[in-house]
């Protein structure tokens, strides 16, 4: 009897202890949660000047920058690519223009003005946001030189207020040849938009490129900056007054760079013109009737050479983060709509967000299209990095994605995940950036890289190099190839242009992304 009583007593004490422990644990958990929630409301400290360099991103940035040199047309100055030489020196002669500069679009010899201007506007944006970080690893001057190589072409391609040359070369003829740009013999016809054949999309994108570049060169070359701004204003007026989709008016371009509309480019250009001029009429343009018509507020889109809405939304968000109250009192409602739309874009990208897009691979790469699959994840990551830095610098602790909230470091983690996937942290264990890492594509779909520099080939006999089973004799260093299929496979074949062809505009968004990650990052409060 006594033994049983002691047993019940021990059991009772044990139960009481367990209940006590549970109560204490609950109290501790509640207090910790309150502390954590309180901490999440506190903004992270703003990073100072560029700090320690992250070596993998530094190396990758230096590699990616070289593809702009690979793609240069014209008489090359200080040529850094041993297998490249002067090419297309007579481009534009039939119109008494010098269109020899600019950059070839991809693995061919075409100069398409629409994606080339996008390349320039994104490269400008990257320099403006992250020039100090580029400079910390010796890449600011090369980036500025590459940008100017494009804007020199764009200036010459705009000989009068309402005329813009938007293409050099015949894509049908070009794609019937496989030859080096230095020895090409095919005809190089010119294509233009004008008042009777308008192209608001390509004209406005070129205006955006020139306005953003005017900011890049404002301090170093004020005369050149003023020239760019003059062209930007004229082109925007032309694009807005004579409205039309360039690929509807010039059907031949539809198979290559078909435009789905011009509203996004008009908003994108007006946004850059506001930053370049401080003229509130451009702000009125994007927040007024044109914003209502074109902005698609609240509907996330993908940032690309065809659709600039997400970029414009993020770029306009910096005004609500940093601008004075007087500006916000006049345009705050419209700017807030852009910021909310930008946050919808960002919330869709974050993998743990309630509104996360399902458009991604099993290993977390944003994946939208089989053709040029890497454009969207890299561009998305660049936007996330920029927005993260706007939050950090403005001491904004978090964004709300439905029931959850996310910090600047969450956005930066997403940006890093996409960059790391590109650089080799993927199921294929390969880098999609040519020349980076131990394993990268060897059969890049690129004419110049595939043909030995000393080979003597014409238009047709060069196809032997396309069909060769040997790796490219020249390394297209810095090329970002199209990327993996949704099932995370990659076929390294020169004939697989879907996956193996690089593009110049891919390099621009990659340079922007890598520049944001190369060291500690914050944002300037003004781009002017």
């Amino acid at each position: 009897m006594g033994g049983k009583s002691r047993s019940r007593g021990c059991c009772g004490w044990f139960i009481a202890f367990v209940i006590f422990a549970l109560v204490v644990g609950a109290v501790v958990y509640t207090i910790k949660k309150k502390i954590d929630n309180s901490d999440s409301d506190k903004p992270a400290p703003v990073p100072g000047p560029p700090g320690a360099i992250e070596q993998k991103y530094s190396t990758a940035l230096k590699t990616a920058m070289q593809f702009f040199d690979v793609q240069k047309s014209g008489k090359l100055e200080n040529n850094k690519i041993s297998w490249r030489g002067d090419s297309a020196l007579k481009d534009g002669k039939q119109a008494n223009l010098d269109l020899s500069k600019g950059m070839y679009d991809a693995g061919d010899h075409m100069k398409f003005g629409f994606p080339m201007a996008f390349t320039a506007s994104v490269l400008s944006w990257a320099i403006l946001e992250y020039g100090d970080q580029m400079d910390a690893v010796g890449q600011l001057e090369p980036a500025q030189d590459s940008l100017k190589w494009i804007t020199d072409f764009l200036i010459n391609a705009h000989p009068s207020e309402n005329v813009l040359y938007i293409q050099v070369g015949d894509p049908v003829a070009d794609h019937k040849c496989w030859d080096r740009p230095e020895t090409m013999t095919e005809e190089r016809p010119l294509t233009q938009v004008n008042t009777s054949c308008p192209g608001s999309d390509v004209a406005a994108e070129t205006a955006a490129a020139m306005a953003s570049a005017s900011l890049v060169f404002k301090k170093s070359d004020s005369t050149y900056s003023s020239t760019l701004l003059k062209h930007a204003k004229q082109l925007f007026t032309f694009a807005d007054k004579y409205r039309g989709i360039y690929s509807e008016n010039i059907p031949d371009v539809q198979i290559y760079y078909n435009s789905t509309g011009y509203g996004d480019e008009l908003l994108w250009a007006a946004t850059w013109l506001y930053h370049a001029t401080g003229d509130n009429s451009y702000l009125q343009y994007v927040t007024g009737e044109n914003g209502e018509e074109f902005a698609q507020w609240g509907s996330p889109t993908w940032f690309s050479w065809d659709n600039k809405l997400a970029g414009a939304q993020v770029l306009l968000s910096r005004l609500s983060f940093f601008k004075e109250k007087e500006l916000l009192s006049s345009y705050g409602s419209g700017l807030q709509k852009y910021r909310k739309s930008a946050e919808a874009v960002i919330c869709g990208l974050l993998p743990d967000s309630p509104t996360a897009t399902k458009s991604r691979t099993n290993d977390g790469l944003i994946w939208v299209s089989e053709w040029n699959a890497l454009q969207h994840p890299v561009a998305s990551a660049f936007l996330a990095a920029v927005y993260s830095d706007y939050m950090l610098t403005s001491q904004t602790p978090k964004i709300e994605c439905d029931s959850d909230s996310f910090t600047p470091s969450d956005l930066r983690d997403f940006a890093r995940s996409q960059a790391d996937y590109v650089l080799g942290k993927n199921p294929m264990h390969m880098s999609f950036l040519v020349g980076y890492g131990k394993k990268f594509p060897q059969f890049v779909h690129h004419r110049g890289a595939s043909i030995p520099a000393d080979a003597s080939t014409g238009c047709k006999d060069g196809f032997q190099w396309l069909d060769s089973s040997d790796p490219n004799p020249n390394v297209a260093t810095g090329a970002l190839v199209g990327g993996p299929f949704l099932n995370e496979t990659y076929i390294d074949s020169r004939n697989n242009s879907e996956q193996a062809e690089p593009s110049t505009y891919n390099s621009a968004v990659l340079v922007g992304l890598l520049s944001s990650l190369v060291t500690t990052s914050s944002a300037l409060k003004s781009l002017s």
Side-chain angles (χ1 to χ4, degrees):
M1 292 289 292
K4 288 181 180 179
S5 176
R6 284 194 298 272
S7 175
R8 286 195 206 99
C10 290
C11 185
W13 279 109
F14 177 74
I15 292 171
F17 176 78
V18 169
I19 293 172
F20 176 77
L22 290 171
V23 170
V24 170
V27 171
V28 170
Y29 174 79
T30 301
I31 294 172
K32 185 177 185 300
K33 189 172 183 181
K34 286 182 178 179
I35 292 172
D36 288 344
N37 287 339
S38 175
D39 287 344
S40 70
D41 290 334
K42 293 179 181 178
V46 180
I53 303 299
E54 286 216 39
Q55 196 57 50
K56 67 175 176 180
Y57 298 130
S58 172
T59 301
L61 177 59
K62 293 173 183 177
T63 301
M65 280 298 307
Q66 294 181 60
F67 192 60
F68 294 127
D69 291 325
V70 169
Q71 295 301 90
K72 283 181 179 177
S73 166
K75 187 169 184 60
L76 303 185
E77 303 163 4
N78 303 316
N79 182 22
K80 302 179 182 67
I81 309 300
S82 62
W83 48 274
R84 280 301 324 279
D86 298 344
S87 64
L89 297 179
K90 295 181 179 179
D91 277 3
K93 291 298 183 184
Q94 63 268 55
N96 294 316
L97 299 173
D98 180 6
L99 300 180
S100 60
K101 280 190 175 182
M103 294 186 186
Y104 299 119
D105 176 62
D108 52 18
H109 304 146
M110 290 298 301
K111 296 178 190 174
F112 291 110
F114 195 30
M116 195 195 304
F118 177 70
T119 300
S121 59
V122 171
L123 185 55
S124 293
W125 195 7
I127 293 170
L128 291 167
E129 299 284 8
Y130 300 117
D132 57 343
Q133 295 173 211
M134 291 180 173
D135 198 30
V137 292
Q139 296 306 299
L140 177 57
E141 186 175 337
Q144 292 171 326
D145 289 345
S146 294
L147 174 62
K148 190 172 184 296
W149 201 266
I150 297 176
T151 53
D152 283 352
F153 170 88
L154 296 178
I155 288 172
N156 290 349
H158 182 225
S160 60
E161 288 190 27
N162 298 330
V163 174
L164 176 67
Y165 286 90
I166 55 96
Q167 183 173 294
V168 181
D170 175 358
V172 175
D174 185 272
H175 286 74
K176 287 181 179 178
C177 294
W178 193 270
D179 50 2
R180 301 176 65 242
E182 293 80 3
T183 59
M184 62 178 170
T185 57
E186 54 266 30
E187 293 294 318
R188 305 280 288 171
L190 306 177
T191 305
Q192 66 170 248
V193 292
N194 50 50
T195 56
S196 59
C197 181
S200 299
D201 32 28
V202 65
E205 179 57 52
T206 308
M210 290 180 158
S212 56
S214 76
L215 286 166
V216 171
F217 297 109
K218 189 173 183 178
K219 293 181 180 178
S220 62
D221 191 338
S222 60
T223 301
Y224 188 68
S225 174
S226 296
T227 298
L228 287 167
L229 192 54
K230 173 188 171 185
H231 282 277
K233 291 177 179 178
Q234 290 178 351
L235 280 165
F236 179 74
T237 300
F238 167 50
D240 190 38
K241 184 176 180 180
Y242 299 94
R243 291 189 176 186
I245 298 174
Y246 95 113
S247 51
E248 287 184 357
N249 294 320
I250 310 171
D252 288 349
V253 305
Q254 290 179 7
I255 192 173
Y256 301 100
Y257 288 101
N258 183 54
S259 173
T260 55
Y262 54 74
D264 56 309
E265 280 84 20
L266 289 173
L267 298 178
W268 175 241
T271 301
W272 276 116
L273 279 162
Y274 171 75
H275 282 290
T277 65
D279 184 342
N280 286 350
S281 68
Y282 294 112
L283 208 51
Q284 177 60 45
Y285 187 96
V286 299
T287 57
E289 291 181 5
N290 293 287
E292 295 289 346
E293 184 176 358
F294 299 127
Q296 298 180 33
W297 287 314
S299 300
T301 54
W302 299 107
F303 186 45
S304 72
W305 60 263
D306 179 42
N307 194 331
K308 319 307 181 327
L309 280 181
Q313 289 157 0
V314 169
L315 186 58
L316 283 166
S317 294
R318 74 162 18 255
L319 298 181
S320 61
F321 277 119
F322 301 129
K323 277 293 182 179
E324 62 274 5
K325 292 181 180 178
E326 291 77 10
L327 183 71
L328 297 180
S329 67
S330 299
Y331 305 102
S333 176
L335 291 176
Q336 194 61 28
K337 291 177 183 177
Y338 281 104
R339 182 165 166 179
K340 287 292 184 183
S341 298
E343 291 191 356
V345 170
I346 300 302
C347 287
L349 299 176
L350 301 176
D352 295 328
S353 165
T355 58
T357 179
K358 293 182 171 59
S359 298
R360 61 186 89 218
T361 67
N362 288 339
D363 267 50
L365 180 75
I366 293 291
W367 197 95
V368 179
S369 170
E370 277 195 354
W371 280 92
N372 195 16
L374 287 177
Q375 178 188 193
H376 294 104
V378 174
S380 298
F382 173 60
L383 293 186
V386 169
Y387 205 84
S388 169
D389 290 333
Y390 292 172
M391 292 175 66
L392 267 179
T393 305
S394 65
Q395 292 285 272
T396 303
K398 60 186 179 181
I399 60 170
E400 303 291 340
C401 301
D402 281 0
S403 57
D404 289 350
S405 62
F406 297 90
T407 65
S409 63
D410 293 323
L411 276 63
R412 194 168 175 86
D413 286 346
F414 164 75
R416 290 174 67 100
S417 74
Q418 304 302 286
D420 290 348
Y421 190 107
V422 168
L423 299 179
K425 191 176 180 180
N426 55 61
M428 293 139 286
H429 304 291
M430 69 174 289
S431 165
F432 292 103
L433 176 62
V434 176
Y436 179 86
K438 295 180 180 179
K439 181 183 178 184
F440 52 81
Q442 302 294 310
F443 294 82
V444 180
H445 182 93
H446 190 279
R447 288 162 176 72
S450 70
I451 303 174
D454 59 355
S456 178
T457 59
C459 167
K460 297 293 185 183
D461 55 349
F463 278 101
Q464 63 179 297
W465 302 105
L466 170 65
D467 299 326
S468 170
S469 59
D470 295 328
N472 287 349
N474 309 309
V475 179
T477 304
L480 179 65
V481 295
F485 288 136
L486 181 57
N487 65 359
E488 299 182 296
T489 61
Y490 179 84
I491 301 170
D492 193 9
S493 168
R494 220 175 277 113
N495 274 295
N496 178 19
S497 57
E498 192 172 32
Q499 290 187 288
E501 186 169 18
S503 61
T504 310
Y505 51 89
N506 270 12
S507 293
V509 289
L510 181 62
V511 163
L513 173 58
L514 294 172
S515 297
S516 75
L517 299 175
V518 74
T519 181
T520 52
S521 182
S522 60
L524 298 171
K525 294 190 176 182
S526 173
L527 296 179
S528 60

